Amino acid sequence: MFASPGGAGTSSETPRASSSIGSPNIMTRRVTPLRSCKRRRPSLSQEGVSDCEHDHQGEGLRLHFEKRKKQKKWLCERERALCANSLHKILRRELSNAGNRGFVKRASSEKFKRMRVQQMFNTYDARENRRWKLSFLRKRSRVVEIVGAKGMIFALAHSGVCAAFCRETNKRLCYLNIQDDEVVRSLFYNKNNETLITVSVYATDNYSSLKCRSTPLEFIRRGKPQEGGMALFEEESLQWPGFVEFDDVNGKVLTYNTHKHVYKVFDLKNYELLYDISDAAVSELKVSPGILLLIHDYEGKDHVPLKILSVEDGNVLKEFKHDLLPGRTVDFVEQFDEKLLVKQEKENLRIADVCTGTCIEVANTQFMNPNAFIFLYENHLFLTFRDSQVQVWNFKGELVTSFEDHLLWHPNCNTNNIFITQEQDLIVSYCKPNAEGSEKSAASINVSSILTGKCQAKLGQGQGDEEEEMDASLVLRSPGGNRVSGDAALGDVTALFYNEERNEIYTGNASGRVYVWAN
């Protein structure tokens, strides 16, 4: 979700969202004080809805989720049937990009094992400073977001400068700041039409609203992004606290106009308006595979009014409320398929099935309140991040995986410094050693299995000796002629991206440089 900036004079950084291909969105928590009243156990209820209407809604919601599960089951069965055919098995092994799955699984560690720094790019160029109207665009700043697609790397600096680089020529193609007062806030690669969407603010309107622009990759490759781009959602007022959210899973775009209190859902393929939601009582809207969860204002109430909509057409699938414990703030309310996750301060996590009304509780001593979530829609699991620790849970409230060696360097996790693979089986992160008191030079890029917690590879540690033995022509050197080692490239990493198509890892650091790790 790309949140609109605050009014004039605000200096706080607004939240950024993942634009990594295949990376699920991180769900942030919300805290709202509630009035004190007599304690009672929470439950799902449908007060104000007739029994007939309640049964109809429940049946419709159940059918909706069953349809999605049947579609997924059919695809899996079709895949198994094809795999049982010997001829197809041989063809798949020889022709598929994935190849033999068993071999790929065994060789996953080898895929990363010999990765080392092969190239360095710089988002800062003193010779280009004269083109920027704003003084802060002329300053070197840290890389906050990296996107890789079709042989190109797009790096966004905290200052708002966005640069595009070509991996074939290893040269900078262009800057994506079309106007001299444009400050790019975030990026999104739309694989449906092979375009890069930039979300920007401008000095001409005092940085008060977000503007979206879609640019075909071909024009960026030519170094002329200004010739082929087009503005998106020009009729939408995306002023704070409005936002725009690109949902790669459902293929939708969600915008919120704060002045009219209207949410709008667009098709990500052609940006056509599908439907809008006009309800001033909605305090938050959550996107989940196949559905939208509308959370109505619950301040001063003993329950949370909720409504589940179909993401395709906006039809209401179910309307209900979730009772709250009095005197406790709400840490988060999240939805994934038919599972509703609710956590209140110092209380147990409750996982409710909105179809059946059953509820599972996980003790608050076992499930500590996380800083962020990542839902793994392929595996029906979710990741939690808390104080540099990563854990994997299922929707029965069971801890599935604790990672043996995956201690995040940055405790305040966001999807710009971790990456989840398309298959959702590996997590790539900037990590620190488990041992206390280790030097910062001991930082590494760790690749771990999400299902087993085992560390598959560590980049940067123990590669010094191998680099000494490399051919001189293969060693990356800085503009001054000095060797650039993996340890140097791992200092102050602020952004990370894994390009699965090219099997390359891109890291950005505090000085605005981007390093390419490859075999």
Side-chain angles (χ1 to χ4, degrees), residues 289-301:
I291 61 171
L292 297 174
L293 176 67
L294 270 62
I295 306 175
H296 289 78
D297 183 33
Y298 55 89
E299 187 172 358
K301 298 179 181 179

Side-chain angles (χ1 to χ4, degrees), residues 14 200 285 299 313 319 330 355 472:
T14 56
S200 307
L285 191 151
E299 187 172 358
D313 51 25
E319 186 173 0
V330 175
C355 293

Side-chain angles (χ1 to χ4, degrees), residues 380-437:
H380 211 72
L381 302 169
F382 63 96
L383 294 172
T384 59
F385 300 84
R386 176 183 170 87
D387 299 333
S388 299
Q389 298 283 350
V390 187
Q391 293 181 326
V392 184
W393 297 78
N394 62 24
F395 289 93
K396 297 178 182 178
E398 300 168 340
L399 179 63
V400 177
T401 306
S402 290
F403 293 90
E404 63 178 12
D405 188 6
H406 208 94
L407 194 64
L408 301 180
W409 189 273
H410 301 291
N412 297 324
C413 167
N414 66 68
T415 49
N416 292 333
N417 51 47
I418 66 169
F419 191 94
I420 308 294
T421 58
Q422 189 76 30
E423 296 291 330
Q424 299 183 349
D425 57 346
L426 296 176
I427 178 172
V428 185
S429 310
Y430 179 53
C431 295
K432 57 185 175 182
N434 289 324
E436 294 291 336

Side-chain angles (χ1 to χ4, degrees), residues 113 115-116 458-467 517:
K113 186 176 180 180
M115 276 191 176
R116 56 183 52 83
K458 297 180 72 169
L459 278 64
Q461 290 193 356
Q463 294 185 340
D465 296 336
E466 295 180 8
E467 288 174 352
W517 299 73

Side-chain angles (χ1 to χ4, degrees), residues 121-124 140-143 155 157 165 494 508-514:
F121 299 107
N122 202 338
T123 61
Y124 175 81
R140 181 184 292 275
S141 63
R142 70 181 186 272
V143 178
F165 306 94
T494 55
N509 66 10
S511 62
R513 294 182 174 88
V514 176

Side-chain angles (χ1 to χ4, degrees), residues 1-2 17-27 68 147-149 187-197 244-254 265-271 287-292 311-312 375 377-378 415 419-424 497 500:
M1 179 186 296
F2 307 134
S18 170
S19 53
S20 303
I21 302 175
S23 290
N25 291 332
I26 278 188
M27 304 297 183
R68 284 178 48 81
V147 175
L187 309 172
F188 179 82
Y189 169 59
N190 189 352
K191 59 187 178 184
N192 294 286
N193 49 27
E194 294 189 1
T195 61
L196 185 76
I197 299 176
V244 57
E245 179 176 351
F246 299 94
D247 177 16
D248 201 22
V249 177
N250 293 306
K252 302 292 185 290
V253 183
L254 176 68
V265 179
F266 299 83
D267 193 321
L268 187 56
K269 295 179 181 179
N270 51 28
Y271 311 112
V287 182
S288 182
I291 61 171
L292 297 174
V311 75
E312 297 299 330
F375 289 116
Y377 51 89
E378 291 290 345
T415 49
F419 191 94
I420 308 294
T421 58
Q422 189 76 30
E423 296 291 330
Q424 299 183 349
F497 183 92
E500 297 185 66

